Amino acid sequence: MVALVMATIIIPINIASVFVVTRFADSSASWSKVLLDVARNPMVLAAAAAVVLRFMPFGLYPPLNQTLDLVGRAALGMGLLTIGASLRPGDFLAARAALWTSAFLKLVFFPVLMISIALAFGVSGPALDYLALCAAVPTAMNGYLLARQLGGDAPLYASITTLQTALAFFTIPLVLTVVAQLASG
């Protein structure tokens, strides 16, 4: 269920993210440059290729499928190493308000908002658990690469990602406990 939902929202989210970062990182960028950056962004292309391959009547060649699976499993660790290599302790102090505001909005406000909306629409059981878990995870690490590639504030994004990842060790269990309490009545 989560994979199906993610498949439908990853492409529009990445298109919007590339558009916003490209447009605001270089306000003099022409519309053709912005659209070209969106069209050739690796995240957008990879997500579109994955959706197309998913609906093909045949599977990938097994060795290629296994290779892609291994690369995908390594991506999280590689992303963490990339972000960690760019961290500077001073970045945590320089952007304190931005760090804590983003952490509060992503790890507290967003899960509360999503759970409230889900409950209002009658979502319950495992679907509510999945939704809560997806809402409670820290910001995506690919945003760092996007910021770096398109001229955004990559050091700030690295600090935000690191702080949210550390805080998520505490907030995810809290969110899931609250959902379990809500489900039990």
Side-chain angles (χ1 to χ4, degrees):
M1 179 186 315
V2 172
L4 179 62
V5 171
M6 295 306 259
T8 61
I9 65 171
I10 284 176
I11 294 173
I13 287 173
N14 276 297
I15 288 172
S17 297
V18 172
F19 176 81
V20 168
V21 172
T22 301
R23 189 72 185 135
F24 290 104
D26 181 9
S27 60
S28 65
S30 67
W31 284 104
S32 60
K33 180 190 179 331
V34 172
L35 294 176
L36 184 62
D37 281 350
V38 169
R40 68 178 182 188
N41 183 270
M43 289 300 297
V44 173
L45 295 173
V51 170
V52 168
L53 287 173
R54 174 63 182 99
F55 290 107
M56 290 294 201
F58 53 86
L60 282 177
Y61 177 59
L64 177 60
N65 194 32
Q66 186 174 6
T67 301
L68 292 173
D69 181 54
L70 290 172
V71 170
R73 291 173 191 253
L76 177 63
M78 291 173 14
L80 286 171
L81 286 172
T82 303
I83 289 171
S86 71
L87 279 177
R88 295 180 307 236
D91 291 343
F92 283 103
L93 299 174
R96 191 172 22 223
L99 288 173
W100 289 103
T101 301
S102 68
F104 173 78
L105 290 174
K106 179 63 180 102
L107 301 176
V108 177
F109 179 76
F110 188 62
V112 168
L113 177 67
M114 294 308 295
I115 293 165
S116 299
I117 291 171
L119 290 172
F121 280 99
V123 176
S124 61
L128 182 61
D129 294 338
Y130 298 145
L131 182 70
L133 181 60
C134 289
V137 297
T139 190
M141 284 179 233
N142 66 326
Y144 170 77
L145 299 173
L146 185 67
R148 190 152 181 96
Q149 175 189 23
L150 299 174
D153 193 345
L156 175 61
Y157 198 93
S159 298
I160 287 171
T161 305
T162 303
L163 178 65
Q164 287 186 17
T165 301
L167 291 175
F169 281 103
F170 305 102
T171 59
I172 289 175
L174 180 65
V175 166
L176 294 178
T177 300
V178 168
V179 169
Q181 290 296 319
L182 290 171
S184 68

